[in-house]
Amino acid sequence: MNTAEANIRTQQVLAEIMALLSRKAIYPNAVQQQMLDSHIRAMVLRSLTGEPLPEVEKDLFEDISADSMEMAEQVVESVGNLPIEEAYLLSVHFEVAKENTRENNL
């Protein structure tokens, strides 16, 4: 897969994520969206190159909701060729966006 194909796949994954978040009424702000975009771009590239993640301490993610983790696992599975640890990192984006959405609705 070349760079153009990786960019297309990144946009597809981001569209899937935005649809998933929208169904759950979760709306990242502009900064959160930019960080998510960057993470997904890197995730797609890692799925293609097989580049490993540094070791992830799962204990650091114990406060992440099951819902955010399930969404992240779904995305990681959709991308394919990624270790489950990617879901831990991705779940943080979802959790932060949930908090942002809650604060805006207060």
Side-chain angles (χ1 to χ4, degrees):
M1 187 178 282
N2 62 33
T3 304
E5 291 170 324
N7 288 337
I8 290 168
R9 182 63 183 134
T10 297
Q11 292 309 311
Q12 289 170 335
V13 173
L14 285 167
E16 291 170 18
I17 289 170
M18 295 316 294
L20 180 64
L21 293 177
S22 180
R23 285 193 299 272
K24 298 198 178 258
I26 300 170
Y27 305 101
N29 65 28
V31 172
Q32 293 165 343
Q33 183 66 52
Q34 186 176 19
M35 292 172 67
L36 179 62
D37 293 357
S38 177
H39 185 169
I40 297 303
R41 189 174 309 109
M43 232 173 72
V44 166
L45 289 173
R46 282 192 293 273
S47 77
L48 299 172
T49 65
E51 177 188 341
L53 277 176
E55 190 168 327
V56 174
E57 291 186 42
K58 294 177 185 171
D59 295 349
L60 298 175
F61 301 90
E62 61 189 21
D63 292 336
I64 299 293
S65 68
D67 187 45
S68 291
M69 188 58 74
E70 287 170 14
M71 288 188 294
E73 289 172 354
Q74 182 180 337
V75 171
V76 166
E77 189 175 306
S78 169
V79 172
N81 196 35
L82 292 169
I84 193 61
E85 287 78 12
E86 286 279 3
Y88 288 94
L89 300 176
L90 183 58
S91 69
V92 173
H93 292 279
F94 300 156
E95 198 70 16
V96 170
K98 280 165 100 175
E99 287 301 316
N100 176 62
T101 301
R102 259 187 231 117
E103 288 172 10
N104 287 337
N105 290 327
L106 291 180

